[in-house]
Amino acid sequence: MNARTITALSIIVIMACNRGQNKFDASGTFEADEVIVSASANGKILSLDIDEGSRVAKDSVVGLVDPTDLSLQKQQVQATIEALNEKTSDAAPQIKMLQDQLTVQQTQVDNLLHERARIENLVKEDAATKKQLDDINFQIESAKKQMNVTQQQINVQRNNIATQNRGILSDGKPLQKRAEQLQELLNKTNIRNPISGTVITKYAETGEITSTGKPLYKVADLSTLNLRAYVTGDQLPQIKLGQQVAVYIDSGAKNYRKLPGTITWVSDKAEFTPKTIQTKDERANLVYAIKVKVNNDGYLKIGMYGEVRFASKGK
């Protein structure tokens, strides 16, 4: 027989004795919902500030795996990104020169327009010829064309440099993603506790080499414990999920302490099936596991024995 079958048989004997004394309906041991915290990074454990039995808060950082290699990788990526920025061109100086040239050309056009107005007045007074007016109009049109050319040069300069810079900076996008990925890996070098609870077992020590997925310690919330008990097949109709029951633990040689409990789980499979079930008496030999949640006042311990009473029976 395996260990679970032996345990189930032992519980049957205990329950039989208890029912003979008309005292308890089921017996079992207390257990906790345990979480094994594993490493999320590879490297040397620089610190692991916990001890077995110590209380740890949720999301608290309890240790650190050496982040040096990842930190250097991130610095290298950031340096490459900065180098790309230095390769980009600044269009401002070239555009400033062209804009100054455009300003000068606009001044020339303004002067020519003023001169044309003067010549038009002289033509009206027969003090100037029509050819002089045609010449000034030609100069104005030429100056405006030069302004258009200068404006096109400004636009081309802006577009060319912008295109060139986009080509350079496009290489920076995957580098930036790589930097973010390395930062995420750096965050994982912090050993962060997932739940509030008590350290049950410590598997690693400061100075050891660890790897991703390697267990570091086991933690459990001991504020509530589960009494894993066993009931027979004929007791199943007497219980249901959420049912309030009375839990008893030893308190001295012949005394018990009574605690309230709640049935939170009932197994759908028998722990012990001696033979094919045919009669009600034979069904009573089946053992089903149940879990009873009990608030821990500090006296309950993992592995401690407990008794369960489904309904009040005397004292």
Side-chain angles (χ1 to χ4, degrees), residues 117-256:
R118 188 183 70 82
I119 292 176
E120 285 176 343
N121 291 331
L122 290 175
V123 169
K124 291 178 182 179
E125 297 175 359
D126 292 329
T129 65
K130 188 173 182 302
K131 182 179 183 305
Q132 289 177 302
L133 182 60
D134 292 339
D135 290 343
I136 196 69
N137 284 332
F138 177 78
Q139 294 177 30
I140 290 172
E141 290 299 320
S142 298
K144 287 183 177 180
K145 289 179 180 179
Q146 291 177 356
M147 288 183 65
N148 289 335
V149 171
T150 303
Q151 185 61 57
Q152 290 176 2
Q153 290 176 338
I154 291 175
N155 295 337
V156 170
Q157 189 71 18
R158 282 175 174 165
N159 291 335
N160 288 344
I161 293 179
T163 301
Q164 177 183 342
N165 289 345
R166 281 197 298 270
I168 294 173
L169 295 177
S170 63
D171 294 334
K173 292 181 179 179
L175 289 172
Q176 186 61 45
K177 292 297 182 183
R178 176 58 179 164
E180 293 173 3
Q181 182 184 37
L182 288 171
Q183 182 58 54
E184 183 65 23
L185 293 175
L186 278 170
N187 294 340
K188 291 182 178 180
T189 60
N190 290 316
I191 302 171
R192 196 174 296 275
N193 185 61
I195 64 170
S196 297
T198 302
V199 177
I200 304 299
T201 308
K202 187 176 180 182
Y203 302 115
E205 297 291 342
T206 299
E208 293 182 3
I209 302 298
T210 190
S211 58
T212 301
K214 185 176 180 180
L216 300 175
Y217 65 95
K218 183 190 295 183
V219 63
D221 182 5
L222 301 183
S223 61
T224 60
L225 292 184
N226 295 314
L227 177 62
R228 186 184 183 94
Y230 292 86
V231 299
T232 56
D234 60 350
Q235 289 178 295
L236 281 179
Q238 304 175 35
I239 62 176
K240 65 178 181 178
L241 293 177
Q243 179 178 338
Q244 300 297 308
V245 298
V247 175
Y248 296 83
I249 60 173
D250 292 334
S251 179
K254 297 182 179 181
N255 296 321
Y256 292 93

Side-chain angles (χ1 to χ4, degrees), residues 37-88:
V37 181
S38 301
S40 298
N42 302 323
K44 184 178 180 180
I45 301 175
L46 297 184
S47 64
L48 187 56
D49 303 325
I50 55 171
D51 295 303
E52 293 182 355
S54 60
R55 290 276 303 171
V56 284
K58 181 180 180 181
D59 293 330
S60 61
V61 177
V62 298
L64 176 68
V65 177
D66 189 358
T68 303
D69 182 59
L70 291 172
S71 180
L72 290 174
Q73 290 184 51
K74 183 182 177 184
Q75 291 175 22
Q76 182 181 20
V77 171
Q78 289 176 329
T80 304
I81 294 175
E82 293 174 2
L84 289 177
N85 291 329
E86 293 175 358
K87 291 179 181 179
T88 58

Side-chain angles (χ1 to χ4, degrees), residues 263-289:
I263 297 177
T264 58
W265 175 77
V266 178
S267 175
D268 59 350
K269 295 180 180 179
E271 296 285 325
F272 173 60
T273 52
K275 58 183 177 179
T276 303
I277 305 164
Q278 294 179 346
T279 67
K280 183 176 180 180
D281 291 338
E282 288 171 343
R283 287 199 301 270
N285 291 328
L286 291 174
V287 178
Y288 294 84

